[in-house]
Amino acid sequence: MCGVFGAYSARDFVAEDVYLGLSALQHRGQESAGVAWIDENRRVNVVKGMGLVHEALSQSVLANTPVTRAIGHVRYSTSGGSMMQNAQPICANYAQGPVAIAHNGNLTNFLHLRETLESRGAIFQSTSDTEVILHLLAHQSRRRPLDALLRALSEVRGAFSLVVLLEDGLVAARDPWGFRPLALGRRGDNYYVSSESCAFNLLGASFVRDIEAGEVLLINERGLTSYSLPDSSKMAENSKRRWFCSFEYVYFARPDSVIEGISVYRARQEMGRLLAKSVSTESSPSGIGVPSVDFVASLPDSGTTAALGYSQESGIPFEAAVVRNRYVGRTFIQPTQKVRELGVRIKLSPSPELFAGRKAVLVDDSIVRGTTAGLVVSMIRECNASEVHLRISSPPVRYPCFYGIDTPSNGDLAAAKNTLEDIARTVGADSLSYLSREDMMKAIGLPPDSLCTACFDGQYLDAPDVDGERCRCSCEKIFE
Ligand code: AMP
Ligand code: SF4
């Protein structure tokens, strides 16, 4: 998952705004950050580095960079490794001028395109899928850059929410399915494009609208001009269909963001409410039983909003009984399992005073590998809790994501092959239940046929090519 941000102004210097926007999107990627702009000599410039925004970039340098349009990116790797050469924005000066691209999403036909481009002589600098967009664009050197971009984007499949800088202006583009969010904001005459609306709050900008699925929006001195991508990846009957990622509402987006008119906070709270309703009216899908407990706790921050909803619906008091070390980032986003495990222990700490001798429902948004739930439940047991009932505010994650979220191959997903009883036993919980897919969609509140739920039900769109068992997009996930 990544975050992208772009700024356009007729007169103000905006590089620092991009820095601030990226800081608000830090939850979307912590491996690298970068900012790009075009200088008065028509050359593209970029500063990027590994780590968090404040480690990778200098706010004071950007504040003194005299540019009126710029784009930025925060990254965690889903396609290509975690290394400097894959940090974005990706930039080039080609026959038609400068171009910089920042991308959120995963292109499912990446390897096919890369092989075709290489056979025509293209030399790739990185292993990131985003670079194919740059090459596709550069290969159309007789078209003006915006036309070349439109043509390039009609060839790629899968998920892309992009900000692009051309001499023509700032461009925002979203794939025809709308997998990843992308929003337009405004402060005075300045325009901003952001992965999430939460970044506008920081800048004192107001949310204008979402970039439409399939829209390419050019922002320049002539104002805003909207283009449509050809729906060539869609069958005719699907041309109006959307496929917004439901996991953004479950986990990924910040709760103070609004995506497609839906408050992420309200959606999560409703997921918690429906979770409480479903387990208080029937036994959990595994038949493990309905917990009668002293309090509800969450795995902060990801489970907290749903836990509040659970508490409000069930009438069981909420206690902030698991404390989060606020100086440690999201654990899942760390790319290796060892770092992840250590990260959970450093990040989350249950209070012995609250858990000792008491029964608790523990709410988290999801179980992926089971690392977090297993470690936290065992730490709660060490606090001498008498019962721990785990409640998950999304359905079991059974399938990998090919659209830009770093879920692992099937083999590493706790729910891919195990029953709920097995998972409950492995993580050490007295009982375990999940929100149903239908309740999750109800909580989000968008029309059910506009939501991607592929990691829960395996219903993929624009699925990547599979070579034997190995996915041929750059994620190289294995199907078992
Ligand atoms: P795991 O520890 O592998 O079971 O991952 C689950 C934990 O990571 C949960 O506490 C979630 O808040 C978080 N999480 C779930 N899915 C993702 C994802 N795709 N990317 C990053 N973090 C995630
Ligand atoms: Fe989102 Fe899951 Fe679909 Fe990936 S597979 S886009 S995580 S809903």
Side-chain angles (χ1 to χ4, degrees):
M1 181 54 57
C2 300
V4 297
F5 193 88
Y8 173 90
S9 174
R11 66 190 82 79
D12 297 340
F13 296 152
V14 296
E16 188 182 17
D17 287 353
V18 174
Y19 176 95
L20 294 170
L22 293 180
S23 307
L25 299 176
Q26 187 76 81
H27 59 290
R28 298 184 72 86
Q30 302 169 333
E31 287 177 24
S32 66
V35 175
W37 63 89
I38 295 170
D39 66 22
E40 64 281 5
N41 300 318
R42 302 184 58 212
R43 305 295 295 175
V44 65
N45 289 246
V46 63
V47 283
K48 43 189 174 181
M50 300 305 286
L52 301 176
V53 173
H54 74 269
E55 295 165 330
L57 304 170
S58 160
Q59 182 175 359
S60 57
V61 168
L62 289 169
N64 290 308
T65 303
V67 289
T68 55
R69 55 200 75 174
I71 62 168
H73 187 267
V74 285
R75 175 168 201 268
Y76 99 120
S77 49
T78 47
S79 164
S82 167
M83 56 185 97
M84 189 58 191
Q85 81 209 51
N86 285 336
Q88 295 195 23
I90 290 185
C91 304
N93 295 292
Y94 80 113
Q96 289 279 1
V99 54
I101 302 180
H103 171 208
N104 175 204
N106 233 28
L107 305 180
T108 52
N109 61 343
F110 158 69
L111 275 189
H112 166 72
L113 290 173
R114 183 176 170 138
E115 284 163 7
T116 310
L117 286 159
E118 281 177 335
S119 71
R120 289 191 218 143
I123 297 171
F124 280 76
Q125 305 285 332
S126 73
T127 55
S128 140
D129 57 350
T130 311
E131 204 182 336
V132 297
I133 301 176
L134 201 62
H135 283 280
L136 286 170
L137 189 148
H139 269 76
Q140 317 198 36
S141 55
R142 280 202 296 273
R143 294 176 193 273
R144 67 180 187 121
L146 184 67
D147 291 338
L149 178 67
L150 284 164
R151 187 55 90 87
L153 294 182
S154 68
E155 288 192 44
V156 296
R157 300 282 176 269
F160 57 87
S161 279
L162 303 174
V163 287
V164 181
L165 213 49
L166 302 173
E167 266 190 303
D168 253 0
L170 171 67
V171 181
R174 203 168 169 201
D175 67 70
W177 302 107
F179 284 101
R180 301 277 144 245
L182 196 61
L184 177 70
R186 182 174 186 172
R187 187 185 68 207
D189 293 337
N190 296 0
Y191 283 100
Y192 300 100
V193 178
S194 174
S195 287
E196 286 181 47
S197 63
C198 64
F200 303 145
N201 306 342
L202 175 66
L203 290 167
S206 47
F207 170 80
V208 176
R209 65 175 176 85
D210 293 297
I211 306 298
E212 298 287 325
E215 180 180 11
V216 177
L217 182 71
L218 173 66
I219 306 172
N220 61 16
E221 50 291 343
R222 291 184 292 281
L224 274 56
T225 316
S226 181
Y227 303 83
S228 290
L229 279 176
D231 282 342
S232 48
S233 72
K234 298 180 168 186
M235 289 175 289
E237 69 271 22
N238 271 333
S239 68
K240 291 278 173 276
R241 190 157 180 190
R242 300 298 177 240
W243 212 241
F244 307 122
C245 168
S246 53
F247 218 85
E248 293 274 354
Y249 295 96
V250 167
Y251 169 77
F252 223 88
R254 247 172 61 163
D256 53 339
S257 289
V258 174
I259 302 174
E260 298 300 324
I262 304 291
S263 150
V264 174
Y265 180 91
R266 293 278 170 233
R268 280 184 200 161
Q269 185 185 38
E270 192 59 18
M271 288 171 201
R273 284 183 183 280
L274 295 177
L275 186 61
K277 263 191 187 161
S278 62
V279 293
S280 62
T281 53
E282 59 192 70
S283 50
S284 58
S286 58
I288 300 173
V290 181
S292 138
V293 295
D294 300 307
F295 67 96
V296 178
S298 71
L299 266 84
D301 297 326
S302 56
T304 302
T305 315
L308 287 170
Y310 188 104
S311 161
Q312 287 156 355
E313 182 63 37
S314 63
I316 305 170
F318 173 80
E319 303 261 30
V322 180
V323 177
R324 176 172 173 187
N325 178 339
R326 71 182 65 152
Y327 301 102
V328 182
R330 285 182 165 194
T331 46
F332 189 99
I333 308 188
Q334 313 292 339
T336 69
Q337 180 67 6
K338 208 169 153 203
V339 180
R340 239 179 248 125
E341 286 185 16
L342 190 63
V344 175
R345 286 197 178 274
I346 298 173
K347 190 178 82 169
L348 298 173
S349 167
S351 297
E353 291 69 25
L354 287 161
F355 280 106
R358 299 176 78 203
K359 301 178 191 172
V361 153
L362 184 66
V363 179
D364 198 10
D365 64 283
S366 57
I367 293 179
V368 180
R369 295 176 181 83
T371 315
T372 312
L375 286 169
V376 174
V377 172
S378 83
M379 288 192 274
I380 292 175
R381 295 265 178 230
E382 286 162 21
C383 298
N384 295 320
S386 50
E387 288 176 23
V388 188
H389 299 272
L390 193 56
R391 296 291 175 265
I392 303 299
S393 59
S394 65
V397 176
R398 295 203 163 98
Y399 303 89
C401 173
F402 300 106
Y403 311 117
I405 286 196
D406 180 29
T407 45
S409 305
N410 301 34
D412 292 330
L413 292 170
K417 288 186 181 151
N418 299 310
T419 63
L420 294 200
E421 285 85 351
D422 290 339
I423 303 169
R425 206 171 309 114
T426 308
V427 301
D430 291 290
S431 76
L432 166 67
S433 73
Y434 287 86
L435 190 67
S436 68
R437 180 180 170 279
E438 289 63 37
D439 278 350
M440 176 185 74
M441 303 226 270
K442 201 161 132 193
I444 296 171
L446 288 169
D449 65 355
S450 66
L451 283 170
C452 175
T453 52
C455 51
F456 306 115
D457 58 20
Q459 299 297 309
Y460 294 107
L461 274 181
D462 270 356
D465 304 339
V466 177
D467 183 4
E469 289 180 336
R470 187 174 290 276
C471 172
R472 296 193 81 244
C473 99
S474 55
C475 73
E476 301 206 332
K477 285 171 186 163
I478 310 280
F479 290 89
E480 290 177 10

